[in-house]
Amino acid sequence: MRIVVGIKWVPNTQAVRIDPETGTLIRKGVPSIVNPHDLPAIEAALRLRDTVGGEVIAFAMAPPPAVKGLELALGMGVDRAILITDRVFAGADTWATSYVLGNAIVKIEREYGRVDLAVFGQETIDSSTAHIPGQVASWLNWPYAYYVRDIQVSGDSKIRIVRELEEYVEEYEVELPAVLGIAMRALKPRPVSLYNKLRAKLDKNVIITWSNSDLKLDPRCVGLKGSPTIVAKTIDMPEVPRKKEVYKPRDPRDGAKWIISKIVEDEKLRELLVKKLWGE
Ligand SMILES: Cc1cc2nc3c(=O)[nH]c(=O)nc-3n(C[C@H](O)[C@H](O)[C@H](O)COP(=O)(O)OP(=O)(O)OC[C@H]3O[C@@H](n4cnc5c(N)ncnc54)[C@H](O)[C@@H]3O)c2cc1C
């Protein structure tokens, strides 16, 4: 079974600023990490490969520093990685991003053979639209299931999946090839192994880079030019005033009472709470 797993290289903060001129994200100066919700997706792909055999290919459309994210995936045990990077892809909205990723899967099939599954994280911590997996499925015309927490091969070219919903779970049989979005807390990701990490560093062929001269996509359909959505307006986050107060309690009980008096506004409720806690 050949499984591809999408990885996004994201700023290590949710406080991403937006350039008011261009409406695009300002990433400069912000350290980046692999989107944490992609780690369970990598784990799901690896478990499936370890059970039925085959290979896992991690891929990311991102600027060159994202190679570090792919190295982490390789360190976890992914077989190979593809960095899709080109200036022409910059400024993409989710439509243009998923278009590139969908076409990258088509190229992976041409280069390496049939792709059975494309797995993605549930969402990202920077944009968190959760658009990408569904859109990739649409470009490829493959079935799509999300909030997936378990995958078992159930027959020739079929898998049985468990979807985790708020109050219940659902089971489906899905025809392959398919796209899955893995639920964010579904699986504990395995740690990076030293052997895999060294392999990623030493084997120069394990990470491949594709630009648009490899994918040959119409430049009008990718990046900012190919993005039908625009950031029309950004609203500054309102400043939350912080008032610092210092209180020196006589003893812990006095300190606790003071904290209650600060967080419980209703006087009657406050008295009731103090009575319940201290019988006063
Ligand atoms: C109007 C608009 C303008 C934008 N402009 C810019 C811009 O100028 N510069 C910029 O950097 N971003 C820009 N973005 C954000 C960019 O579109 C998203 O980063 C990207 O499309 C992924 O969307 P998401 O983070 O919401 O992913 P989600 O849909 O929340 O991600 C779900 C999963 O898809 C996979 N995935 C997501 N992105 C990738 C990827 N690139 N490669 C591989 N797998 C992936 C991961 O597995 C992830 O867990 C813009 C977005 C919008 C809506």
Side-chain angles (χ1 to χ4, degrees):
M1 181 175 264
R2 183 166 293 101
I3 307 161
V4 296
V5 54
I7 289 173
K8 191 177 178 198
W9 187 239
V10 296
N12 189 7
T13 171
Q14 300 218 23
V16 184
R17 288 176 302 129
I18 296 176
D19 185 327
E21 295 284 306
T22 60
T24 58
L25 304 179
I26 305 168
R27 290 167 183 275
K28 217 173 163 192
V30 185
S32 295
I33 53 167
V34 169
N35 173 43
H37 304 319
D38 298 349
L39 301 177
I42 300 172
E43 181 61 32
L46 292 175
R47 284 191 195 187
L48 205 55
R49 179 207 61 190
D50 294 347
T51 312
V52 299
E55 70 166 345
V56 177
I57 304 175
F59 72 136
M61 184 193 99
V67 80
K68 287 211 161 15
L70 293 173
E71 280 171 8
L72 182 129
L74 287 159
M76 285 174 71
V78 159
D79 299 278
R80 65 175 101 218
I82 303 171
L83 177 67
I84 302 149
T85 191
D86 198 310
R87 277 178 180 279
V88 80
F89 299 147
D93 65 4
T94 61
W95 173 279
T97 303
S98 61
Y99 180 67
V100 172
L101 296 179
N103 276 287
I105 294 174
V106 173
K107 184 165 168 65
I108 290 171
E109 294 207 302
R110 276 204 306 269
E111 301 283 327
Y112 304 109
R114 174 185 150 115
V115 171
D116 301 282
L117 259 184
V119 298
F120 293 97
Q122 183 176 309
E123 63 183 56
T124 57
I125 58 164
D126 60 342
S127 300
S128 43
T129 62
H131 287 178
I132 296 298
Q135 288 180 350
V136 169
S138 298
W139 290 116
L140 296 169
N141 202 19
W142 291 2
Y144 167 50
Y146 59 105
Y147 297 151
V148 173
R149 76 154 196 222
D150 191 37
I151 316 161
Q152 307 284 338
V153 173
S154 62
D156 203 16
S157 212
K158 275 187 190 149
I159 49 168
R160 188 171 288 273
I161 55 141
V162 177
R163 289 187 68 218
E164 185 179 78
L165 301 172
E166 257 178 36
E167 283 166 11
Y168 52 92
V169 294
E170 289 177 346
E171 258 188 61
Y172 288 94
E173 195 160 65
V174 182
E175 290 272 353
L176 298 179
V179 176
L180 302 180
I182 307 297
M184 42 174 98
R185 277 174 288 277
L187 301 162
K188 189 166 181 267
R190 67 192 62 188
V192 165
S193 90
L194 187 62
Y195 170 81
N196 288 329
K197 212 173 155 182
L198 283 176
R199 186 179 138 254
K201 279 266 175 243
L202 299 176
D203 185 348
K204 296 286 167 231
N205 299 319
V206 88
I207 302 181
I208 301 150
T209 303
W210 286 345
S211 68
N212 200 32
S213 57
D214 299 293
L215 290 180
K216 297 187 174 45
L217 302 174
D218 185 335
R220 290 169 303 179
C221 301
V222 298
L224 201 55
K225 276 192 192 153
S227 298
T229 44
I230 52 155
V231 181
K233 192 177 172 193
T234 59
I235 300 161
D236 286 337
M237 287 297 285
E239 282 282 323
V240 182
R242 284 171 193 273
K243 210 166 75 195
K244 193 170 146 190
E245 278 185 62
V246 179
Y247 180 73
K248 291 208 169 111
R250 289 186 300 278
D251 51 43
R253 175 191 292 203
D254 181 46
K257 267 190 188 174
W258 183 79
I259 291 171
I260 290 175
S261 77
K262 292 288 153 189
I263 56 181
V264 181
E265 278 179 10
D266 187 284
E267 201 177 332
K268 278 200 178 125
L269 189 64
R270 212 158 57 207
E271 276 171 17
L272 204 73
L273 205 61
V274 171
K275 217 176 200 164
K276 258 208 164 327
L277 287 172
W278 289 286
E280 291 167 5

